[in-house]
Amino acid sequence: MKWIPHRDPFLLIDHAEDFQAGESLTGVKNVTPDEPYFPGHFPGKPVMPGVLILEAMAQTGAALAAKSLDVDPASGVILFATVERARFRRPVAPGDTLKLPVKLLNTRHGLYKFQGEAWVGENKAAEASFAAKFVEGAR
């Protein structure tokens, strides 16, 4: 929470691990049955929306960039810029623990490019390439 401005109900990572400055970070999301989206997605067969899996990856990437570069989240926000090659491999359901390893591929002109994955145990749930940009004063 120190590195990104998101808060409940939109904070989609519970904690982070395996930080390597300027290189990688793994976000962890414990997908609980009381998530606010499950009653409508889908009644009787709850599935975490793919767009929220991507958002959890993006939040992990934002935390990686902010922590690596010691960005003060009070001075602006890191915003999604692009998503490419998103693939969804398996559903994520209540009770799953989502591991989100994200690698920083490069930084150019203030644009951070990442490669992220989402894993449930030994099974890849999703993957995507994405980019984000720090925008000062965007709060």
Side-chain angles (χ1 to χ4, degrees):
M1 290 175 66
K2 178 180 177 183
W3 298 106
I4 58 176
H6 304 79
R7 297 296 176 263
D8 278 334
F10 217 71
L11 180 61
L12 297 177
I13 52 177
D14 295 319
H15 67 274
E17 56 192 32
D18 301 328
F19 173 67
Q20 294 182 2
E23 293 182 29
S24 62
L25 180 70
T26 298
V28 179
K29 167 70 176 157
N30 295 309
V31 183
T32 61
D34 63 345
E35 302 288 345
Y37 43 82
F38 282 143
H41 199 266
F42 299 101
K45 292 202 177 263
V47 174
M48 184 175 185
V51 69
L52 295 182
I53 296 169
L54 290 176
E55 175 64 24
M57 279 187 225
Q59 289 181 18
T60 301
L64 168 60
K67 186 172 170 68
S68 293
L69 302 171
D70 199 28
V71 171
D72 178 6
S75 65
V77 294
I78 297 175
L79 300 173
F80 237 152
T82 66
V83 178
E84 299 173 344
R85 294 183 296 279
R87 301 283 185 268
F88 300 96
R89 308 285 182 195
R90 77 175 293 282
V92 176
D96 287 345
T97 296
L98 201 55
K99 295 262 186 156
L100 303 151
V102 172
K103 293 180 183 176
L104 179 61
L105 301 176
N106 64 51
T107 303
R108 221 170 131 179
H109 306 294
L111 189 70
Y112 308 103
K113 292 195 177 184
F114 302 96
Q115 175 64 40
E117 298 175 339
W119 291 82
V120 175
E122 299 294 317
N123 299 301
K124 188 186 290 187
E127 61 189 299
S129 298
F130 57 96
K133 184 169 182 71
F134 180 74
V135 180
E136 287 199 46
R139 274 197 150 177

